[in-house]
């Protein structure tokens, strides 16, 4: 019996030693909680994050990600600043104005999902607007917090538009496109892929819709990307790196399997029209996500020249006397090696 007691004692001590090593390690491996706010209600361009969650890409990186619908980029920035969310999908071009007016809660872009922005003015053939200069004397509807309206001074100079003759109508986003379809406005400021397909769902014929993308009319705007506060970035560099890796995995799946990308949206909103959402996503892939530049250089690869030019332009449009640091707009610190940023084929 004494030998048995000594054996049990040694066994228990060894087990305790093992547990003393394993339990702290297990505690360290507990998933990191991340709260993501999207730019709007579920749409196909958000499918990389839906798929990353569903296929375990976030879990593989040790992340437990909560994904919530958004209410616009401005709302996302405010929620990041308040600490309600950790990462947001939103419009980097709005950051110059945000950071100047909110110096204590600066936000930056850590991953550029859309190489080119979807910013546009949209009208109908029936208005007689054939060029942007024809907007003079017309009614233009825009939602509160719209990005294009503050740029109008620069845009009107570039396009020779007599701005004093324009009547601006501030309307809620959910009413904007129906107002255009009914003739209550002559044009709207818009996210092109959203308004174009909203008009189709309102029985407007494709040949009657006229788009003026800003990127084709004197601007070189970036598209939506992942936003974080600069403070969050400093405190959580590895979390951001892991989140981007999972994002890239979900992005590859969604762009190479469009039907599954659409199904991932339908699982969050059963009311979507599959045909319309498929066409919307294909339009966005072609015009914003997998641009010729991205196919040649990779996802989220932004040259220093482009970044500085855009940053200076946005500061000029906001009429700031001093140009903020370009790092306030975008930083590539948390990206994986360029080889891992290769565009899906």
């Amino acid at each position: 019996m004494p030998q048995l007691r000594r054996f049990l004692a040694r066994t228990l001590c060894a087990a305790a030693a093992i547990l003393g090593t394993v339990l702290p390690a297990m505690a360290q491996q507990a998933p990191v909680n991340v709260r993501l706010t999207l730019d709007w209600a579920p749409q196909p361009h958000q499918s990389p994050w839906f798929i990353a969650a569903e296929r375990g890409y976030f879990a593989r990186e040790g992340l437990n990600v909560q994904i919530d619908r958004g209410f616009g980029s401005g709302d996302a920035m405010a929620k990041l600043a308040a600490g309600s969310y950790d990462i947001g999908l939103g419009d980097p071009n709005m950051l110059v104005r945000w950071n100047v007016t909110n110096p204590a809660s600066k936000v930056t872009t850590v991953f550029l999902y859309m190489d080119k922005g979807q910013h546009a003015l949209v009208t109908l053939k029936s208005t007689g607007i054939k060029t942007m200069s024809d907007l003079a004397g017309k009614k233009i509807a825009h939602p509160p917090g719209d990005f294009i309206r503050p740029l109008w001074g620069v845009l009107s100079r570039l396009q020779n538009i007599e701005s004093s003759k324009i009547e601006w109508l501030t309307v809620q986003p959910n009413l904007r496109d129906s107002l255009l379809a009914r003739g209550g406005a002559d044009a709207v400021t818009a996210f092109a892929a959203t308004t174009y397909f909203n008009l189709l769902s309102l029985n407007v014929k494709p040949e009657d819709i006229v788009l003026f993308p800003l990127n084709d009319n004197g601007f070189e705007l970036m598209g939506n990307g992942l936003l974080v506060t600069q403070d969050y970035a400093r405190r959580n560099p590895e979390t951001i790196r892991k989140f981007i890796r999972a994002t890239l995995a979900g992005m590859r799946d969604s762009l190479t399997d469009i039907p599954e990308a659409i199904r991932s949206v339908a699982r969050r909103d059963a009311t979507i029209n599959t045909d319309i959402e498929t066409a919307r996503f294909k339009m966005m892939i072609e015009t914003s996500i997998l641009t010729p530049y991205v196919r040649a250089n990779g996802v989220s690869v932004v040259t220093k020249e482009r970044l500085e030019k855009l940053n200076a332009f946005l500061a000029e449009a906001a009429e700031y006397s001093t140009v903020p640091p370009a790092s306030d707009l975008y930083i590539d610190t948390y990206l994986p090696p360029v080889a891992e940023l290769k565009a899906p084929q």
Side-chain angles (χ1 to χ4, degrees):
M1 291 296 292
Q3 289 180 336
L4 177 61
R5 284 195 295 271
R6 286 195 295 273
F7 172 77
L8 291 174
R10 287 196 299 270
T11 302
L12 290 173
C13 287
I18 292 171
L19 287 173
T21 302
V22 171
L23 289 178
M26 291 175 64
Q28 291 173 4
Q29 294 171 4
V32 175
N33 293 324
V34 177
R35 298 159 298 176
L36 169 67
T37 178
L38 300 173
D39 48 356
W40 200 245
Q43 290 188 5
H45 69 278
Q46 303 155 344
S47 57
W49 294 279
F50 301 152
I51 289 176
E54 293 171 358
R55 296 189 174 178
Y57 299 149
F58 287 130
R60 184 174 66 192
E61 296 289 348
L63 304 178
N64 177 41
V65 179
Q66 169 190 324
I67 304 175
D68 293 330
R69 69 149 292 168
F71 296 88
S73 297
D75 182 72
M77 293 172 196
K79 288 175 177 174
L80 294 176
S84 304
Y85 287 87
D86 306 306
I87 300 176
L89 180 61
D91 187 348
N93 304 287
M94 297 177 67
L95 291 181
V96 170
R97 185 178 295 273
W98 171 271
N99 288 333
V100 168
T101 55
N102 298 274
S105 52
K106 288 185 176 182
V107 176
T108 190
T109 313
V110 292
F111 177 81
L112 187 63
Y113 172 46
M114 298 180 188
D115 179 51
K116 287 189 174 183
Q118 284 279 316
H119 316 84
L121 281 120
V122 185
T123 185
L124 303 177
K125 281 189 176 180
S126 58
T127 64
I129 299 172
K130 297 180 180 179
T131 67
M132 292 191 69
S133 61
D134 295 331
L135 290 165
K138 303 295 185 179
K139 295 179 181 179
I140 304 178
H142 69 102
D146 171 53
F147 170 69
I148 297 177
R149 181 67 181 93
L151 288 181
W152 194 255
V154 176
L155 178 62
S156 59
R157 288 197 299 272
L158 286 173
Q159 297 297 328
N160 194 30
I161 304 169
E162 181 52 64
S163 293
S164 62
K165 296 180 179 179
I166 291 174
E167 180 180 350
W168 289 94
L169 308 174
T170 304
V171 298
Q172 292 303 312
N174 61 320
L175 303 176
R176 175 193 55 195
D177 301 331
S178 60
L179 185 68
L180 176 61
R182 296 196 314 268
D186 300 303
V188 297
T189 64
F191 194 77
T194 297
T195 289
Y196 180 82
F197 288 98
N198 285 352
L199 291 173
L200 292 184
S201 69
L202 293 169
N203 298 316
V204 178
K205 296 179 180 179
E207 60 269 24
D208 292 335
I209 302 172
V210 180
L211 298 176
F212 294 108
L214 296 197
N215 270 47
D216 296 338
N217 289 276
F219 291 73
E220 294 183 15
L221 302 173
M222 296 194 296
N224 285 13
L226 294 178
L227 313 179
V228 299
T229 63
Q230 294 185 11
D231 179 63
Y232 182 85
R234 284 191 294 268
R235 291 185 291 105
N236 301 277
E238 285 308 310
T239 297
I240 294 174
R241 290 188 179 97
K242 291 176 179 180
F243 193 94
I244 291 173
R245 282 199 297 267
T247 293
L248 285 165
M251 187 174 174
R252 291 187 187 97
D253 287 1
S254 71
L255 297 180
T256 55
D257 188 353
I258 293 176
E260 178 55 25
I262 302 304
R263 286 192 289 270
S264 76
V265 180
R267 286 191 282 272
R268 288 159 176 78
D269 181 359
T271 68
I272 68 167
N273 182 305
T274 298
D275 291 338
I276 286 179
E277 295 307 323
T278 298
R280 188 199 308 273
F281 195 31
K282 287 181 177 179
M283 174 182 175
M284 295 181 72
I285 291 172
E286 180 181 349
T287 60
S288 288
I289 301 173
L290 293 184
T291 62
Y293 177 84
V294 169
R295 290 186 184 278
N297 298 280
V299 179
S300 196
V301 176
V302 181
T303 66
K304 180 181 178 181
E305 292 74 20
R306 179 188 181 188
L307 181 61
E308 291 180 347
K309 180 180 179 181
L310 175 60
N311 189 55
F313 166 77
L314 293 172
E316 177 191 357
E319 299 182 344
Y320 296 141
S321 57
T322 303
V323 178
S327 59
D328 283 2
L329 181 60
Y330 173 83
I331 52 175
D332 60 9
T333 307
Y334 309 100
L335 296 179
V338 174
E340 297 179 30
L341 297 172
K342 185 177 179 181
Q345 300 302 318

